[in-house]
Amino acid sequence: MRITRREFMKSGASVVAIGAGVPTMLSQVAQARAEENNSSTRERILVVFELNGGNDGINTVIPLADKNYTIARPTLAIPPTSALELEKGVALHPSMTGMHELYKAGNLAVIQGAGYPNANRSHFRSMDIWHRADPGADVNTGWIGRYYDKTEHPPTSPVAMVHYGQRRPEMFKAGKAPSISINAIDDFYPSDGKPESLATSLLYQDKGKMGAGDAMMMEDEMHAMLAAPDELIQNTGMDIVRGSEIIKKVIANPRTPKVAYPQNGIGNGLSVFSQMIVENLGSKIFYISLGGFDTHARQAMGHANLMSTLSTGIASFMADLKEEDRDKDVMVMVFSEFGRRVYENGSQGTDHGAASVMFFAGGSVKGGLYGGYPDLGDLDQGDLKYNVDFRDCYSTVLADWLGTDPDRVIPGHKGRTAFL
Amino acid sequence: MFDFDPKVAHLLRRATLGPTIEEIQDASQAGFQVTLDRMLAQLDRPPTREEAAAQAIGDVFLNDAESLRAGWMLRMLQSPNLFREKLTLFWHDHFATAISKVDSTRMMADQIETFRQLGLGDFRTLTLAMARDPAMLIWLDNALNVKGHANENFGRELMELFTLGIGNYTEQDVMEVARAFTGWGLDRGRFKFNADQHDTDEKTIFGKTANFNGDEVIDMITAGDRSPQFLSWKMWKFFASQDPTDDDLKPMVEAYKQNNRSASAMLKAMFGSEAFFSDRVMGRQIKSPVEFAVGVARGLKADLDPKLFANAAAAMGQSLYNPPDVNGWPGGAEWISTYTLLERVRLVRNLVARGGKGKVCGLDTDAIVSENFISTNDELLQHFCLRFLHRQPSAKLKRTLLAYMAVGSRRRDVVKLPSNEREDKIRGLCRLILISPEYQLF
């Protein structure tokens, strides 16, 4: 009789008791998992969810009590009756029902007025600022990369940092820590059910039984990929090889989540993340990005769809993790490179702004509203003034979630927000 | 075994797409200066019959985004004028516009054709054309930019990404430039200036006050000192290296100023400069997905559906007609992640597995071996490294290739093995070279 993962994790029982017919690899993986999940210091995981293009914070977390709201947005203002109330006078966009439920359950922290001084309104410069967070002399590093490089927390797995997509995010960048960019678990092993390393099968076509000479050939072919004048390519090749070694340990049968994920890129990405979390592959930092937020024109419908994608994705993800009893180990951080202007433009859209909102979601988060909603009547060049420096939020994450000294990663930000 | 000039090889690799060793040899015979002059002169004459045929083929591919990019890929694989295609790719990256939002294959194809027509000429003319380009008007919302509440999208990106670079204008300039472009709209897919939507009040831009319109703004921008500096920087990063110095760019900036903003003069200055052939540049740029895909296709003489290559390039991170955002494709190290590197390997494996007896894809390897009198493993690997890399392999790669050839060969040279084994080994040799990190650089 096959017991469920959950029963197994709780019991911590010896694998031998499971019964005949269970392949050895399953036993070994299950054993390791049981040990890990019963230990008192489970790995805390951060999922960074980027909203790319400049999310309109004002229509995401809506300042219904501010009389300027409807004056500034004749066509874009959300009616109070459709908005989802968080506290008196502040509500969520109507599409965000899933995240509204998380808020009511106390698992969603909303940071109002998040930004930084001298707001930059270029997508690329501002996104750089959020990803690198004061690199100082370490110019080409991101804050997560520096978390690994500069603190006493070396990455413990070749798949420590995981990115869903093609281009490595700036925030992962550093000298030493490996990261993988993937599209699906299948990227790293063949989907024909054979738990082989994909790097192996890519470099050497398996023609049946392999002899000793063939094994040596595989080695040499991996070396071809690594024999590099250019370190970056060499390191990436190594990341592929080592990453695939880890992932091949995953049981070949794809995991069916107990929760339905939305059928879109975000749903796919988050379900890959949850699989990697549940399989305890050693991944600690995940990153996913949703684009389309640069709503200069005809914002209403596009933004509503994006809020729905965001909310349904996060809600499914948290529900899935809760089913697997991992929701207290995982925190999702949502941010965007800037908000948008208070006044709508002549095309029923909004242009680049400054301060916006951040979210933190998770079973260990202290839900509620943080910061203060910036006054729509007291603007800086037409834009909201910030009152929470995002680097203080990062520092909070570094100190209270990732358990390190934030000063080594983002020097000089002493403020903390109490969402943990 | 191959007789060519490394400078010519470098010029062709960087200025065109995936030049074959045969083409490099031919150009070397003509010499560097003649090759460069011919390349730059090509766009001033009417298209040849072959070019016209390639154009006609490209026009058929307008059904959807996938066909569209396959059509351009076909031109890249077949056109006799690869410098033009490479330069067009540069402008596509520079004025990055994506079909995912524009949603019209016709408009996107027309925009790229504008790059082909105006790409070597006056930068001011090209920028003015882009301000009226239907795809651009949709992409940056300027078609909806009306007086009263201007839409800042185009005005900002025009300065930040197309002409000046960040830090060379103020937020006030952005708002005022936006007003200058109000009323520049679309009517049934074509540019139309709507006078009643155009803001004719005074605007203060770069410290000057007048009733500026969009044309005048572009005049001001392209006449200044900042514009040639920015454009040179973009060109150098695309064609040469990721870290241009001011000295690298000086000749190009001068060329712009002395030749009425001519892109052709700038490129001539760049390709003719010593810096372009320095150690900082040669062999140190990571190939873009398109450069890589076209290179392996032409190197292996692949005769396959261009969709395969266009889709492979997209999987590697460069989907033609569909840059990820208005910043285009930053290039350099950004091309390499575990995801995209695996996709390069996949394409190579796909191609190398093809080809009948004695062939690797479209490359007649049996003929190559006999025509070049190849007998030892050393000669074999030398030939293919020169063929694909245009130079000898590094010591590490050479060791790997020799070890690969030795395994299972019972100390015989590969060319003397029974034909099945020999073919396998030669396929494997090609595969290893094409997935090697050295091949990713050029």
Side-chain angles (χ1 to χ4, degrees):
Chain A
M1 181 206 73
R2 190 188 168 114
I3 65 175
T4 65
R5 272 198 203 100
R6 198 176 195 166
E7 289 161 17
F8 188 92
M9 279 167 11
K10 285 191 181 151
S11 73
S14 157
V15 172
V16 177
I18 284 185
V22 175
T24 320
M25 189 173 34
L26 164 55
S27 320
Q28 287 171 354
V29 173
Q31 175 79 21
R33 210 186 299 138
E35 284 162 3
E36 215 176 283
N37 289 337
N38 276 335
S39 87
S40 55
T41 50
R42 272 151 60 154
E43 186 84 280
R44 278 172 161 174
I45 290 165
L46 178 68
V47 177
V48 178
F49 196 133
E50 173 187 294
L51 307 181
N52 188 293
N55 176 40
D56 183 24
I58 297 174
N59 269 13
T60 304
V61 175
I62 303 164
L64 292 172
D66 192 320
K67 64 173 167 32
N68 290 301
Y69 179 62
T70 46
I71 297 170
R73 296 176 163 216
T75 72
L76 292 181
I78 308 277
T81 44
S82 2
L84 306 169
E85 192 185 71
L86 295 173
E87 308 293 338
K88 200 155 161 26
V90 180
L92 283 181
H93 186 285
S95 301
M96 298 169 76
T97 45
M99 284 171 76
H100 192 225
E101 292 305 310
L102 285 175
Y103 187 85
K104 289 194 283 195
N107 292 324
L108 183 71
V110 180
I111 319 293
Q112 305 165 104
Y116 57 94
N118 302 317
N120 194 297
R121 290 167 184 77
S122 152
H123 291 295
F124 312 101
R125 180 60 62 87
S126 199
M127 195 54 96
D128 240 24
I129 288 171
W130 280 79
H131 275 247
R132 297 189 200 278
D134 296 343
D138 305 300
V139 178
N140 286 320
T141 62
W143 70 286
I144 301 288
R146 291 199 303 280
Y147 162 70
Y148 278 116
D149 264 14
K150 299 253 166 202
T151 68
E152 71 284 9
H153 292 266
T156 53
S157 158
V159 298
M161 297 192 281
V162 180
H163 152 238
Y164 182 76
Q166 288 177 318
R167 220 161 89 195
R168 281 179 315 141
E170 293 298 321
M171 65 172 62
F172 281 5
K173 286 187 185 166
K176 301 171 211 136
S179 72
I180 60 168
S181 298
I182 65 173
N183 189 33
I185 291 284
D186 296 62
D187 270 6
F188 278 83
Y189 71 79
S191 52
D192 59 1
K194 291 191 195 133
E196 292 160 349
S197 157
L198 185 70
T200 306
S201 84
L202 279 183
L203 296 175
Y204 175 66
Q205 186 124 19
D206 193 354
K207 286 188 183 161
K209 196 160 175 234
M210 292 193 306
D214 299 327
M216 195 167 88
M217 202 185 314
M218 265 196 285
E219 267 294 298
D220 288 340
E221 293 186 347
M222 282 190 213
H223 286 149
M225 223 176 160
L226 305 177
D230 182 273
E231 261 191 39
L232 168 68
I233 303 177
Q234 178 174 2
N235 289 337
T236 306
M238 190 60 91
D239 286 351
I240 293 175
V241 171
R242 289 198 185 132
S244 65
E245 285 297 312
I246 295 293
I247 292 177
K248 82 176 179 182
K249 292 178 192 159
V250 171
I251 297 156
N253 298 319
R255 168 186 179 258
T256 313
K258 297 187 175 82
V259 157
Y261 279 85
Q263 300 280 344
N264 54 35
I266 294 297
N268 290 341
L270 292 174
S271 68
V272 168
F273 291 174
S274 73
Q275 178 169 9
M276 295 182 77
I277 291 169
V278 165
E279 304 287 2
N280 286 319
L281 298 183
S283 302
K284 190 173 175 69
I285 317 281
F286 295 86
Y287 168 97
I288 191 167
S289 173
L290 174 61
F293 285 88
D294 194 22
T295 49
H296 284 276
R298 308 223 170 107
Q299 172 175 312
M301 194 161 78
H303 191 242
N305 289 337
L306 289 167
M307 288 296 102
S308 172
T309 302
L310 170 67
S311 182
T312 53
I314 291 186
S316 311
F317 184 58
M318 291 271 87
D320 188 9
L321 291 170
K322 193 147 198 253
E323 283 291 316
E324 300 287 353
D325 200 25
R326 300 301 298 272
D327 59 305
K328 293 198 165 34
D329 305 330
V330 181
M331 181 167 74
V332 182
M333 177 181 95
V334 183
F335 79 97
S336 189
E337 73 264 40
F338 42 64
R340 304 192 79 83
R341 291 216 196 278
V342 173
Y343 276 76
E344 64 181 71
N345 61 29
S347 335
Q348 297 92 51
T350 50
D351 297 299
H352 299 184
S356 189
V357 299
M358 290 174 79
F359 294 106
F360 289 91
S364 300
V365 162
K366 297 198 180 87
L369 293 181
Y370 296 86
Y373 210 102
D375 183 354
L376 268 62
D378 176 25
L379 302 177
D380 172 20
Q381 287 193 320
D383 294 324
L384 294 181
K385 292 182 176 170
Y386 82 101
N387 54 66
V388 177
D389 190 311
F390 78 92
R391 291 159 296 187
D392 287 342
C393 295
Y394 282 7
S395 297
T396 307
V397 172
L398 287 164
D400 301 334
W401 188 249
L402 299 178
T404 191
D405 174 10
D407 234 31
R408 294 210 233 165
V409 178
I410 310 176
H413 286 275
K414 303 293 180 202
R416 299 282 178 269
T417 317
F419 59 87
L420 279 170
Chain B
M1 71 177 68
F2 288 116
D3 188 18
F4 62 91
D5 174 359
K7 270 186 81 171
V8 170
H10 176 64
L11 174 67
L12 289 186
R13 282 192 301 259
R14 295 304 186 90
T16 72
L17 289 159
T20 63
I21 190 65
E22 289 87 5
E23 286 162 350
I24 290 170
Q25 280 193 132
D26 288 346
S28 297
Q29 288 230 315
F32 178 84
Q33 199 54 53
V34 169
T35 302
L36 178 58
D37 290 342
R38 268 186 200 155
M39 220 168 62
L40 291 164
Q42 269 176 338
L43 276 78
D44 290 337
R45 57 156 175 66
T48 62
R49 244 189 31 222
E50 288 82 9
E51 287 168 353
Q55 156 109 43
I57 292 171
D59 278 351
V60 168
F61 292 74
L62 286 177
N63 291 334
D64 51 37
E66 191 189 25
S67 303
L68 193 63
R69 63 174 177 252
W72 192 359
M73 180 56 74
L74 183 61
R75 283 182 81 155
M76 287 175 175
L77 294 170
Q78 294 194 350
S79 171
N81 190 344
L82 287 176
F83 171 54
R84 166 177 260 156
E85 295 310 308
K86 184 72 173 269
L87 183 60
T88 303
L89 185 61
F90 166 74
W91 288 120
H92 176 38
D93 172 62
H94 181 78
F95 284 107
T97 306
I99 192 170
S100 58
K101 176 172 174 181
V102 172
D103 203 23
S104 160
T105 53
R106 177 79 265 166
M107 282 186 186
M108 289 302 304
D110 284 349
Q111 189 194 65
I112 299 307
E113 196 52 40
T114 303
F115 295 142
R116 280 199 188 91
Q117 299 309 318
L118 301 180
L120 266 192
D122 184 345
F123 180 59
R124 174 177 160 273
T125 309
L126 180 56
T127 307
L128 287 169
M130 279 302 111
R132 290 167 171 72
D133 178 80
M136 181 64 76
L137 286 165
I138 292 178
W139 171 241
L140 293 181
D141 304 311
N142 207 65
L144 300 168
N145 183 13
V146 296
K147 84 172 173 191
H149 295 280
N151 183 311
E152 294 171 10
N153 202 357
F154 178 70
R156 179 186 301 280
E157 310 302 3
L158 169 71
M159 292 192 289
E160 180 182 335
L161 298 174
F162 299 159
T163 59
L164 299 174
I166 255 192
N168 294 294
Y169 53 88
T170 62
E171 282 303 309
Q172 190 68 17
D173 289 330
V174 172
M175 296 194 229
E176 302 288 78
V177 168
R179 290 173 54 213
F181 281 104
T182 48
W184 287 47
L186 276 177
D187 180 17
R188 278 163 295 181
R190 300 189 112 82
F191 171 71
K192 176 160 190 261
F193 177 68
N194 300 314
D196 53 336
Q197 307 276 32
H198 179 69
D199 180 335
T200 53
D201 289 340
E202 282 201 333
K203 305 153 191 97
T204 302
I205 299 174
F206 309 133
K208 299 193 177 74
T209 304
N211 165 21
F212 291 117
N213 66 31
D215 283 339
E216 287 159 335
V217 170
I218 290 175
D219 285 347
M220 264 200 291
I221 287 174
T222 54
D225 279 334
R226 183 58 210 157
S227 190
Q229 185 73 21
F230 182 71
L231 184 60
S232 302
W233 179 74
K234 290 294 298 281
M235 276 184 179
W236 185 274
K237 281 195 12 143
F238 183 89
F239 287 101
S241 80
Q242 295 302 304
D243 304 300
T245 64
D246 279 343
D247 283 340
D248 294 334
L249 304 180
K250 246 203 208 109
M252 299 165 76
V253 172
E254 276 315 297
Y256 176 106
K257 290 179 177 170
Q258 309 295 344
N259 294 279
N260 291 322
R261 304 164 296 263
S262 155
S264 152
M266 293 173 80
L267 290 163
K268 183 170 185 177
M270 179 176 65
F271 291 138
S273 71
E274 263 186 50
F276 188 71
F277 294 94
S278 68
D279 286 340
R280 280 188 302 122
V281 175
M282 288 183 79
R284 297 189 64 83
Q285 185 95 306
I286 295 177
K287 288 176 184 163
S288 68
V290 167
E291 283 161 348
F292 179 81
V294 173
V296 296
R298 303 183 87 242
L300 291 174
K301 299 205 191 322
D303 183 18
L304 299 165
D305 186 342
K307 267 192 191 158
L308 187 150
F309 299 103
N311 290 343
M316 290 175 217
Q318 190 172 30
S319 182
L320 290 169
Y321 296 100
N322 208 30
D325 52 47
V326 61
N327 199 25
W329 294 284
E334 297 299 309
W335 289 130
I336 303 295
S337 70
T338 56
Y339 184 148
T340 58
L341 191 54
L342 273 174
E343 290 297 334
R344 293 181 182 223
V345 176
R346 276 194 181 101
L347 176 64
V348 168
R349 286 189 60 75
N350 185 333
L351 296 179
V352 153
R354 296 169 190 261
K357 225 175 155 3
K359 295 176 91 157
V360 175
C361 202
L363 207 58
D364 191 336
T365 45
D366 270 1
I368 284 174
V369 167
S370 62
E371 283 162 18
N372 288 282
F373 307 104
I374 293 172
S375 53
T376 65
N377 283 354
D378 218 74
E379 286 167 356
L380 189 61
L381 79 82
Q382 260 203 52
H383 179 96
F384 284 98
C385 284
L386 279 168
R387 173 173 289 279
F388 296 132
L389 298 170
H390 315 150
R391 59 174 171 71
Q392 301 292 345
S394 68
K396 261 175 121 177
L397 181 60
K398 181 171 177 176
R399 257 200 316 273
T400 302
L401 298 178
L402 285 173
Y404 167 71
M405 288 191 281
V407 173
S409 302
R410 300 175 296 282
R411 282 198 234 138
R412 274 176 291 171
D413 289 312
V414 162
V415 298
K416 299 183 179 101
L417 292 172
S419 69
N420 283 348
E421 292 176 45
R422 159 179 150 144
E423 201 174 283
D424 261 359
K425 283 292 180 187
I426 294 179
R427 266 183 223 290
L429 183 67
C430 290
R431 181 179 67 233
L432 289 178
I433 295 171
L434 295 172
I435 69 172
S436 73
E438 281 166 70
Y439 186 76
Q440 311 311 315
L441 300 169
F442 73 144

